Amino acid sequence: MTKKIIRIIRTKEGNLEANLAQSAIIDTTNKVKKRTLKLPVIIKTGEDGYFVAEVPIIPGCISQGITMDEVLANIKEAALLCLECQNDEGWIIPEKYFVDQIEVVI
């Protein structure tokens, strides 16, 4: 049985340094090590009232849902699908990235 797990975390205000997780999962069918990724997710409300989620470090990884639980489940599935195409499309996930906020006066 193959297990694919991606943890999606919600961040609070302030700085957060995010790194790829070090844990691994064994694929019991062919003994391939899988790693667990913690990916940043940005969630906002769309014009139609749906929640819209994006994983900014994965090109084109966007999804939506009516509830917060639904949008998180949908973006997790979208991230898995994008990651399956990663090698064919030739992009990589950065090993280290930073999530921060800025303040502007308007």
Side-chain angles (χ1 to χ4, degrees):
M1 172 182 277
T2 302
K3 294 182 179 179
K4 293 181 182 179
I5 298 176
I6 295 181
R7 289 190 189 133
I8 300 175
I9 58 171
R10 294 183 204 173
T11 59
K12 295 182 179 181
E13 288 186 21
N15 297 333
L16 174 69
E17 181 177 326
N19 293 308
L20 295 179
Q22 298 301 313
S23 59
I25 296 170
I26 303 296
D27 179 341
T28 56
T29 57
N30 60 13
K31 305 296 182 198
V32 174
K33 283 189 175 185
K34 306 273 183 171
R35 59 184 177 173
T36 300
L37 303 177
K38 292 184 180 182
L39 301 170
V41 177
I42 297 171
I43 302 170
K44 55 188 172 185
T45 305
E47 293 176 6
D48 56 2
Y50 281 61
F51 290 103
V52 178
E54 177 181 6
V55 178
I57 63 169
I58 297 179
C61 188
I62 299 172
S63 193
Q64 66 178 11
I66 296 172
T67 65
M68 188 63 74
D69 288 339
E70 183 179 21
V71 75
L72 287 172
N74 290 347
I75 195 65
K76 184 176 180 178
E77 181 180 5
L80 284 169
L81 292 171
C82 288
L83 289 167
E84 287 178 6
C85 300
Q86 179 181 3
N87 290 336
D88 294 338
E89 294 175 357
W91 55 269
I92 60 170
I93 294 176
E95 287 292 322
K96 192 173 185 178
Y97 55 89
F98 299 92
V99 177
D100 204 347
Q101 294 182 348
I102 60 169
E103 184 176 320
V104 296
V105 178
I106 54 173

